[in-house]
Amino acid sequence: MSRRGFLRAGAGAGAAAALGAAGWVGVPRITEPGQPGVLLPSATPLPRPFRTELPIPAVLQPVRTDATTDYYDIVQQRAHLDILPGLRTEAWTYHGTFPGPTIRARSGRATAVRHRNELLHPTVVHLHGGHTPADSDGYPMDVVLPAGATGTPARGHGHGITTATGSVAHGERTYLYPNRQRAASLWYHDHRHGFTGPAVWHGLAGFHLIGDEVEDALPLPRGDRDIPLCISDRSFAADGSFAYPLLDPSLHTPGVTDRYMNGVLGDVILVNGAPWPRLRVAPVRYRFRLLNASNARRYRLTLESAVPGGGFVQIGSDGGLLDHPIRHRHLDISPAERFDVVIDFAAYPPGTEVRLRNTLGTGSAADVLRFDVTGPSVPDDTAVPDRLTDLERLDPATAVAERTFLFQLRPDGWTVNGDPYEPGRALADPRRGTVEIWRFITDFHHPVHVHLDPFQVVARNNRAPGPFDAGWKDTVDVRPAEMVTVAVRFTDYAGPFMLHCHNLEHEDMAMMADFQVR
Ligand code: C2O
Ligand code: CU
Ligand code: CU
């Protein structure tokens, strides 16, 4: 049925109810409360929900290993993906898929990833949540030019602005990740200055999961019951390609057209690259690593079914395991945040359909995924212990500095402390080994992300942290006119790192700043 057909069908109450039972009704509203952006409607018919099986991104095999390091090769390449029925979507991919292949790393064992750029424009890879030396962190000017490109601004892909102060690689670069950090669900994505939004929207994102012995010793669900879920909204042009409202289609000038400057919202919700997929689950516990890989869209995730279940049990945050599990009826997840949750499907009779819904979305944006609980009951030897791990608490009293970062819209665009991003100009110079208190103050929705080291939320609006602020975090959802106070300890690596808004349209339009670790 075409989108227009849907609208017409939705006009009759009976038809609307019937569609409601099968899935979502109609298209999302152009603007939705709780969302920063504006909907970019697809020009294709929207696919019907719950028709495709949930894809699980393949785990990448190392090309070689030695005593300390696993070596991987990833080719950044265009690929034609089957996302919508009957259409092909040209994507910019890591190794041919969206999401890219998952890297499974071990804490304390290094990962070296050689990225070869066979795309048509420069790229930068950042490991989000990685505790990474500056030269492998994906500083936005440290581009990898397309293989075979001359390195001159000739081909109209924005070389001029990205090579101003960075280290330029030709064709390929090897990123070295020490993985000297706790088990956690990280992700890698493009981070080129001014063009991160279109790059991620077109497919440049994947998981990097770190495991360790602390996690292994817990009786949590594992193996094929430990599933990463990359949630992202997208819109499609009539030919099935990704639609994105670039200000400059030649990719010289960053940003999107005025209408979308608050953020681009799509009307198709993809999970691991498939539109509203379904997953058959046994009536036992599963662990899901939720990632909001959307450019701007926020989600309030709930589980809906005829029979009530137990909700989400959060076991981890951006930076790994919590000390105690937290039960949630809903989860608010802003761009780039991760929530590690366990869902116990034993709470549902076999045959139950459990929908993962987004109550901040309307129409097609209100649905995400459907779990089909299939029988018979089977023994479940997993558990979620009341105590998961020992979590170090940073003591704000030990902080050696307090800094305030103001995220606001100014006449010259999205700014931090009044200025648009200028590579090489640091707003802070924390010393290694010290704890600092950072305050993020916003005028609007800004998911604030800090590179290098995770932080702990100490206060939200001078009160206790919110229900989704627990544990070690690297991205925090700061809503309009809020102040979030975090404690962060800078460790190990000197050099320039970034803090920025992870609404990728805001980021590209300069809501970013350097800090220089001494
Ligand atoms: Cu996920 Cu600086 O980004
Ligand atoms: Cu990051
Ligand atoms: Cu923002």
Side-chain angles (χ1 to χ4, degrees):
M1 193 186 301
S2 73
R3 223 157 46 77
R4 221 176 253 134
F6 245 119
L7 286 171
R8 247 184 275 120
L19 286 166
W24 35 269
V25 183
V27 295
R29 282 191 223 119
I30 293 296
T31 58
E32 295 166 342
Q35 290 301 354
V38 171
L39 184 79
L40 174 65
S42 288
T44 52
L46 299 186
R48 310 203 57 176
F50 319 130
R51 296 300 162 103
T52 31
E53 302 295 326
L54 174 76
I56 312 282
V59 173
L60 192 63
Q61 294 307 310
V63 290
R64 92 193 150 85
T65 65
D66 62 24
T68 59
T69 308
D70 299 319
Y71 299 83
Y72 294 89
D73 278 349
I74 289 182
V75 179
Q76 302 172 356
Q77 59 196 233
R78 281 176 296 165
H80 291 90
L81 307 178
D82 292 304
I83 298 175
L84 305 176
L87 290 168
R88 309 219 97 184
T89 302
E90 183 178 305
W92 309 350
T93 71
Y94 291 119
H95 231 57
T97 63
F98 170 62
T102 298
I103 290 183
R104 283 251 178 204
R106 287 297 287 183
S107 175
R109 213 180 138 68
T111 302
V113 189
R114 180 166 64 185
H115 277 270
R116 182 173 167 77
N117 180 2
E118 293 187 354
L119 296 165
L120 296 175
H121 45 80
T123 59
V124 171
V125 182
H126 169 57
L127 177 58
H128 183 123
H131 184 53
T132 307
D135 58 1
S136 278
D137 192 50
Y139 190 70
M141 315 302 283
D142 292 349
V143 293
V144 182
L145 297 179
T150 56
T152 66
R155 289 168 58 181
H157 301 297
H159 297 190
I161 90 160
T162 54
T163 55
T165 60
S167 107
V168 177
H170 292 267
E172 61 183 50
R173 183 192 295 275
T174 298
Y175 295 86
L176 189 64
Y177 304 118
N179 297 315
R180 266 187 236 123
Q181 56 189 107
R182 315 167 68 222
S185 306
L186 317 184
W187 62 302
Y188 60 100
H189 62 75
D190 196 75
H191 212 300
R192 176 160 71 114
H193 182 221
F195 299 95
T196 296
V200 172
W201 186 271
H202 284 87
L204 291 176
F207 284 103
H208 179 117
L209 307 176
I210 303 180
D212 68 9
E213 274 149 33
V214 176
E215 183 184 71
D216 286 351
L218 294 171
L220 298 170
R222 61 186 73 223
D224 57 6
R225 293 177 186 167
D226 170 2
I227 298 177
L229 297 177
C230 168
I231 302 173
S232 52
D233 61 336
R234 294 292 184 267
S235 298
F236 295 87
D239 63 358
S241 59
F242 288 121
Y244 187 78
L246 281 171
L247 183 61
D248 172 8
S250 74
L251 294 180
H252 275 101
T253 311
V256 289
T257 55
D258 277 358
R259 176 175 172 78
Y260 293 99
M261 79 167 293
N262 285 353
V264 182
L265 304 180
D267 51 12
V268 175
I269 308 297
L270 303 177
V271 185
N272 294 347
W276 306 285
R278 66 167 179 226
L279 176 68
R280 275 178 240 277
V281 292
V284 294
R285 288 183 197 85
Y286 284 70
R287 173 180 182 178
F288 296 103
R289 300 163 187 261
L290 298 164
L291 158 67
N292 181 355
S294 307
N295 282 32
R297 186 179 282 284
R298 301 170 68 244
Y299 299 80
R300 175 164 294 165
L301 298 176
T302 59
L303 293 169
E304 284 181 24
S305 56
V307 189
F312 305 99
V313 177
Q314 186 191 355
I315 57 168
S317 55
D318 304 336
L321 289 171
L322 305 178
D323 49 1
H324 298 284
I326 303 175
R327 206 169 264 286
H328 297 280
R329 281 284 152 197
H330 70 269
L331 282 175
D332 286 5
I333 176 165
S334 70
E337 283 188 298
R338 283 91 68 214
F339 284 86
D340 206 329
V341 301
V342 170
I343 300 175
D344 188 356
F345 294 104
Y348 304 100
T352 308
E353 295 176 349
V354 183
R355 274 156 65 179
L356 182 64
R357 304 255 308 158
N358 167 30
T359 63
L360 287 181
T362 55
S364 61
D367 262 305
V368 178
L369 171 70
R370 194 180 74 197
F371 301 106
D372 295 343
V373 184
T374 55
S377 337
V378 283
D380 188 355
D381 56 2
T382 70
V384 180
D386 284 336
R387 175 148 204 90
L388 293 164
T389 187
D390 294 324
L391 205 64
E392 180 197 2
R393 293 235 169 262
L394 293 181
D395 178 1
T398 63
V400 300
E402 297 192 11
R403 305 181 201 265
T404 299
F405 299 94
L406 209 54
F407 289 77
Q408 62 180 162
L409 183 64
R410 304 269 297 223
D412 45 356
W414 296 108
T415 62
V416 182
N417 287 356
D419 290 312
Y421 181 54
E422 193 187 306
R425 188 173 55 88
L427 293 195
D429 57 346
R431 189 176 290 282
R432 272 174 285 172
T434 63
V435 174
E436 298 201 355
I437 297 294
W438 285 16
R439 271 185 228 97
F440 307 130
I441 300 178
T442 52
D443 57 350
F444 189 57
H445 291 281
H446 299 298
V448 174
H449 171 49
V450 179
H451 286 221
L452 183 60
D453 280 295
F455 53 75
Q456 294 176 346
V457 177
V458 198
R460 191 177 271 274
N461 306 319
N462 285 322
R463 306 225 173 106
F468 312 110
D469 293 335
W472 287 103
K473 306 247 328 139
D474 57 51
T475 308
V476 63
D477 184 22
V478 197
R479 293 164 300 193
E482 284 202 309
M483 177 173 77
V484 170
T485 309
V486 306
V488 51
R489 181 176 51 213
F490 298 92
T491 57
D492 297 327
Y493 307 121
F497 293 93
M498 279 90 58
L499 80 153
H500 59 88
C501 178
H502 220 289
N503 174 316
L504 298 183
E505 283 72 48
H506 299 187
E507 176 182 342
D508 282 348
M509 292 183 288
M511 191 170 253
M512 177 147 73
D514 281 2
F515 59 93
Q516 182 76 31
V517 178
R518 298 176 280 160

